[in-house]
Structure formats: C-alpha cells, structure tokens
Amino acid sequence: MTNMRRVVETPARVKELIISTFDRYPNPDDVLDMLRQQKFEQLKWSGVTTLCVSFKSDYDIDDGEKDEGEWISDESFAALSSFLVEHLPMVDTLWMDDNRCRRVGPRNVLSNYVAERLDRLSKMFLRFAYMPAFGVKTLPPHITHLTLTVHSAYDFIDIPRVMAPMLRSLTLSAIPLSHLWDKFGGSGAVDFAELRRLDLTFHVPYRSIPSGKTEDDLMWERYHKENTDGPDGKPLSYVDPKTDNYKGNTKLKTISVKERTPKYTVLKSDKRPRFPKLQHLQLNLYPGRIRDFLRDIPLQQLLTLRISADLVAFKGLRLAGLDRLQSSNICYYSESKLRESPHANRFLAKAFAQPPTLRRLTINTSSKCRLRPPPILSCTGIRRLKLTAQISYADLPAMLRQLPRLEFLDLQRALFVDPPPLTHTAEGMAQHFLALSDTAPVSTSLVKFVPDVLCRNATDEVVFYNIFMLIARVPSLRELKMFSFYSTQFFRELLPLFKIPDLSKRIRHLASLECNE
C-alpha cells in the first residue's frame, strides 16, 4: 500500500491488491485507518480480482518484549472485513499468509471476510501458522482452487466441510492422514469430478489442543489466565505447567495424540475418493506405505508424479501402469542406517523402472552408501535427468547407454574414482585413455552436463580425471556447467591434451565446449 499514489490515476487497471503490515502485533483498526488515510474508498477498484493479505512474522523481531498486546474486539475485525468487501467488489481470488503471527493475524481478519465474500470466491490460497480459523462451516461447491497450509502439525484440523464437484486444484499441508477425506463431500465416496492437481503434505501429529478452542484462545489463556476460578482456586480451564496440557474443564474435550504412524487403510471414516480427471499428484513427507494410498489413484492418467517420504514408505511400491507419465520426482530421506544399502538400491531400481513415456526424472536419495543403477532401465525416453545419489562415475557409462534420448544431466553427490598415478600428466592421461578397451561413445544425445564438484574433498587431478573420462566419450556435449574456479582449472588441464595427435581427434568436440558458472 506504500505505492498507492502510483495507481491513483488508473485504479481500474489494477488486477491484484496486496495489503501487508510489518507491525509486531498488527491491529485491524490501524490497517483500516491506513486505508482511509490513503483515501482508498474514493478510488474505484473495479478491476481487482485478487486480494493478498500478509502480516509480518513477529518471530523475526527480537526486541525482548513479551507483551502480547491489547485484546482486539470482534468488532474491529468485522469493520475491516466489511470495508474490504464494500470497496473490492470483484475479488474472486484470495491469498492469505499469516507468517506465524502468534495472536493477531489475517486468519482473524479474513474469517469475517470469507464469511461475507464466500459467494464470489472461487480461488482460496490460505496459509496458517497455527490452527486455522474460518468464519464458515462449509465451503461452497463453486470453489475451483483451494490451498490450506498449516505450519504446525496437529492430530485434528478443524477446517470447513468442502464440497468438491468443481475443484480443479487442491493443496493440503499438515492435514492428519487418518482424517484426510472426512471434510470432503457428503456421505459415502468423495467425487473429485474436475480435479486435475492434488498436492498433499503430511506430518505425523505431535500437538493437541482442546476441541472448540483456537490457538489464539490457547495463547491468551496461557498468558493472562482470565478464566473464572473454580472451587479449588484454579481456573476452570488452565494450563498445567508440568505437562503443558489443559485440565479442569470437563466441558472441553481434549484430543490426544494416539497414533504416531497413521495408516491410510484405517481412516476414521469409510470415505474413499474418486479422481476421474487427475493428472498431477504430489505426496510429500508421506508417513505410511505409499502403495496403500495409490490404490485410490488412477495411475494410468497421471502426467506428473512427485513423491517424498521415508525409505520405508516405498516398500512394496510398484510404479506400474503409469502409461502417460511425463515427469517424475522421487525423493527419500532416512536417518536410519539399518539395512539402508539394500533398501536404497531397491528404491533406485524402482525409480528407474518407470515407463518409456517419461521425459523428466528427478531422483534424490539421502543414502550414505554407494548405490548402483539397475542393469536394465525401462525409462528410456528420458530427456532430463537430475540424479542425487552416491553412485560411482564408473557406473555412469552403462547407465547413459540405456538413455539414448538424454539431453540434460545434473549429477550430485556422485563418487569419484581414484585415477591411476600416470594420469597426473597430459601424456599419461592420453596413454591411459587410448589404452582403454572401450572408448566408444556412451551418449550421442547429451548436450548439457552439470556435475557436482564441491565438498568432495578431492584434488583438482581427481575432479579432472573423472569428468574428462566421461565427457571425452560424449561427442554431442556442448555445455559443461561448473563453478568458475573448477571450470578454469578444468580447461587449464584440458588444453595440453589437444596437442597429442592420437588423442585430439577423439576429443576435438571438446574444443567448442562452453563452460558456464
């Protein structure tokens, strides 16, 4: 709102309006005063279809103050909400991010706004730091895009019921797995008739709050304890300092964390989803076995797939039937070293066992063991491969020869091969290369190679040997991307090799190699 004067002359051309404050404890009365001082109501905002509201996070400010500020009445929130509804008549898209404001944030302001504007909103992108707050119990069926993100993980999320017939894109974060479909549709199956994109991020619940209370209530009672005292002198509802749990009020039902490893096969209700038009699926931090969830997914329709989970989540997974898949991103993380090597190698084999229709593949592993690409790759149509795994440079030629259409390779965390002593000179490198039994090209399609050469604790000679021995057999290569220090050193060591006649004719394609930072 600091650039208001720039748009005063042509407010009708403004399509998106952003309201943001950097106050530690923002007050809706202050925001309303600011808008009026800028003569906001005198302008005609007929073209604004997107409203973004963001409050600065208070945890970024460490001024030593512990005061939670004065209590703000519901009337203040309602006044700002009504003002926005009146002067932004065409808004159909709402973005909200409370940036972890602890007590007062846009979630309070917009609970009133959502209730008043709900009949016109079709796209809602809402990010909450704590328990979501809504002014309605049901979102209407005309919503087409919905994002609900919660930074904290609870074992129960009180979100409105969502009628899903028109949803085209759905993003949910930190929604407990066991309650996943409870809030969608009516009874029985949930029919996502128009859904094209589904993005789910899971967290194992670790926080409990009393049913019917918001995080704001929780914070207020903790600091101010203004509840009526009971017969024992304690508030009817209070926080036990030893356990940090609520006690004393029998009218409040406290929801406890009962399930540390939830399973999709034991949902709280019998609902199951149907996705007749789903094309893009993302599953992040999945807490159970993914194969159980994928039984409800029409895999033959997917164009893109992204899965990140613990290594155990991939047990029993079969990425079969993905006949139309074009882009895949498979990532696992694990801190356990128990049987890590065989599990990780099976994971790598599953990632490479995807269909020939695949064009983009990203594989990211956290394994600290040496991994080996499978002997047979079925995803032979890949054009872009980003591989983060501790595979050896010695295993790359066999892998590349099975990818005849590969044009881009980004290789991270690969293991260098120790070069023979004689390769420390140009003559020795040439002699070693020409003596190889197999100097045939390993790829005739690869155009760009991005190797990771940092944090390897390797000498310049080791880096040069491994990269040279690979790209010398890639006649199609045109671009090598490394940091400037390594690229300069690489070409410094490469130039003498062109002076050796028997070798220069085999590596002359490297003379036009472009090296970028």
Side-chain angles (χ1 to χ4, degrees):
M1 296 301 297
T2 57
N3 295 322
M4 281 280 292
R5 60 176 177 268
R6 297 183 182 180
V7 297
V8 166
E9 296 181 357
T10 57
R13 298 178 61 184
V14 178
K15 302 299 182 183
E16 179 178 310
L17 186 66
I18 301 174
I19 299 178
S20 179
T21 176
F22 289 84
D23 292 339
R24 181 177 174 83
Y25 299 110
N27 189 315
D29 291 335
D30 296 336
V31 177
L32 187 55
D33 289 342
M34 180 268 294
L35 293 174
R36 286 172 174 164
Q37 289 174 8
Q38 297 286 345
K39 298 181 180 180
F40 185 89
E41 67 276 11
Q42 295 182 12
L43 303 175
K44 302 298 182 182
W45 302 97
S46 58
V48 174
T49 58
T50 301
L51 173 62
C52 305
V53 182
S54 175
F55 284 179
K56 176 66 176 179
S57 169
D58 62 3
Y59 74 84
D60 288 336
I61 306 174
D62 185 13
D63 55 11
E65 295 182 9
K66 301 297 182 182
D67 182 18
E68 288 293 307
E70 298 180 358
W71 185 253
I72 298 174
S73 65
D74 292 339
E75 289 76 11
S76 296
F77 294 121
L80 178 57
S81 172
S82 298
F83 183 88
L84 295 176
V85 170
E86 178 182 358
H87 298 291
L88 298 173
M90 303 304 294
V91 168
D92 61 10
T93 302
L94 175 63
W95 289 80
M96 185 278 289
D97 190 345
D98 64 6
N99 281 321
R100 300 194 178 186
C101 289
R102 299 186 62 114
R103 189 176 63 81
V104 178
R107 66 186 184 279
N108 304 92
V109 177
L110 295 184
S111 61
N112 297 83
Y113 181 84
V114 168
E116 294 189 54
R117 190 66 186 174
L118 197 58
D119 61 328
R120 295 294 301 270
L121 292 176
S122 61
K123 300 178 182 179
M124 300 175 64
F125 306 91
L126 310 179
R127 298 180 59 188
F128 299 95
Y130 303 100
M131 182 63 79
F134 290 87
V136 295
K137 294 184 178 180
T138 302
L139 295 182
H142 61 257
I143 297 290
T144 61
H145 294 71
L146 179 63
T147 294
L148 295 177
T149 299
V150 183
H151 292 289
S152 299
Y154 299 91
D155 54 344
F156 177 77
I157 300 293
D158 188 14
I159 65 174
R161 182 167 297 281
V162 181
M163 308 307 290
M166 299 302 294
L167 269 179
R168 296 176 62 88
S169 175
L170 175 63
T171 299
L172 300 176
S173 174
I175 304 299
L177 179 61
S178 55
H179 292 276
L180 181 58
W181 306 121
D182 289 2
K183 290 290 186 176
F184 290 87
S187 59
V190 185
D191 192 4
F192 292 92
E194 299 295 328
L195 195 69
R196 267 72 166 178
R197 184 177 300 275
L198 178 62
D199 186 345
L200 303 177
T201 299
F202 299 93
H203 295 284
V204 176
Y206 65 89
R207 306 184 67 171
S208 295
I209 71 166
S211 161
K213 282 185 173 289
T214 67
E215 190 82 11
D216 294 345
D217 298 329
L218 204 153
M219 292 296 300
W220 181 256
E221 292 178 7
R222 177 174 297 164
Y223 284 100
H224 299 276
K225 293 184 174 62
E226 291 194 352
N227 291 326
T228 305
D229 289 345
D232 57 358
K234 294 181 179 179
L236 290 176
S237 177
Y238 73 100
V239 180
D240 187 332
K242 295 182 180 179
T243 63
D244 201 36
N245 291 329
Y246 275 79
K247 293 184 176 182
N249 192 339
T250 57
K251 295 182 180 180
L252 289 177
K253 178 185 176 183
T254 300
I255 305 167
S256 60
V257 179
K258 296 180 180 179
E259 199 174 38
R260 288 291 174 180
T261 55
K263 297 180 180 179
Y264 184 71
T265 53
V266 288
L267 296 182
K268 298 303 181 183
S269 70
D270 296 330
K271 292 183 178 181
R272 282 298 185 274
R274 288 196 293 256
F275 305 101
K277 297 183 180 180
L278 188 66
Q279 295 180 334
H280 309 280
L281 175 65
Q282 294 193 33
L283 302 176
N284 305 308
L285 307 177
Y286 193 82
R289 292 191 178 182
I290 297 174
R291 66 177 182 179
D292 297 330
F293 182 89
L294 292 182
R295 289 171 182 168
D296 285 333
I297 302 297
L299 298 179
Q300 71 280 3
Q301 298 176 184
L302 293 184
L303 300 179
T304 65
L305 174 66
R306 186 185 191 281
I307 300 177
S308 71
D310 186 270
L311 189 57
V312 178
F314 292 93
K315 189 174 181 180
L317 177 64
R318 296 288 185 271
L319 295 177
L322 299 166
D323 300 331
R324 299 179 59 197
L325 196 65
Q326 298 178 7
S327 177
S328 178
N329 187 322
I330 309 294
C331 170
Y332 94 79
Y333 52 89
S334 178
E335 297 180 356
S336 172
K337 295 183 180 180
L338 181 63
R339 298 185 64 194
E340 183 186 32
S341 179
H343 282 314
N345 275 294
R346 283 195 288 269
F347 163 84
L348 197 62
K350 292 175 182 177
F352 278 115
Q354 298 182 73
T357 57
L358 200 64
R359 295 297 179 260
R360 295 170 176 258
L361 175 61
T362 298
I363 303 175
N364 196 324
T365 75
S366 63
S367 175
K368 296 181 180 179
C369 305
R370 177 182 174 179
L371 304 180
R372 299 180 184 275
I376 299 177
L377 281 62
S378 60
C379 49
T380 54
I382 293 177
R383 288 184 166 83
R384 295 178 64 88
L385 173 62
K386 293 185 179 181
L387 178 60
T388 301
Q390 291 201 158
I391 66 171
S392 172
Y393 267 80
D395 297 328
L396 290 179
M399 184 187 78
L400 292 176
R401 282 173 173 151
Q402 296 189 66
L403 301 174
R405 299 181 180 180
L406 188 66
E407 299 173 354
F408 173 89
L409 174 61
D410 186 335
L411 185 64
Q412 306 292 317
R413 299 183 65 223
L415 300 175
F416 289 135
V417 177
D418 291 330
L422 63 90
T423 60
H424 291 173
T425 64
E427 293 75 11
M429 178 69 79
Q431 180 181 349
H432 173 73
F433 182 83
L434 295 173
L436 292 176
S437 59
D438 180 13
T439 58
V442 298
S443 175
T444 57
S445 60
L446 189 64
V447 175
K448 183 175 182 178
F449 179 40
V450 184
D452 171 25
V453 294
L454 296 178
C455 303
R456 298 287 104 198
N457 296 322
T459 62
D460 294 340
E461 291 79 10
V462 172
V463 173
F464 177 78
Y465 171 81
N466 282 268
I467 295 179
F468 173 79
M469 293 299 291
L470 178 66
I471 67 176
R473 291 182 286 173
V474 184
S476 57
L477 193 67
R478 294 295 177 265
E479 184 176 348
L480 180 67
K481 185 173 182 179
M482 296 189 295
F483 288 97
S484 57
F485 170 80
Y486 289 97
S487 63
T488 302
Q489 183 66 22
F490 181 86
F491 280 100
R492 184 179 294 120
E493 297 187 34
L494 179 63
L495 287 176
L497 298 179
F498 289 111
K499 300 178 181 179
I500 302 174
D502 291 338
L503 182 61
S504 61
K505 60 184 179 180
R506 302 202 181 193
I507 63 170
R508 55 191 170 192
H509 65 280
L510 298 180
S512 58
L513 189 66
E514 180 180 344
C515 194
N516 294 325
E517 299 181 19

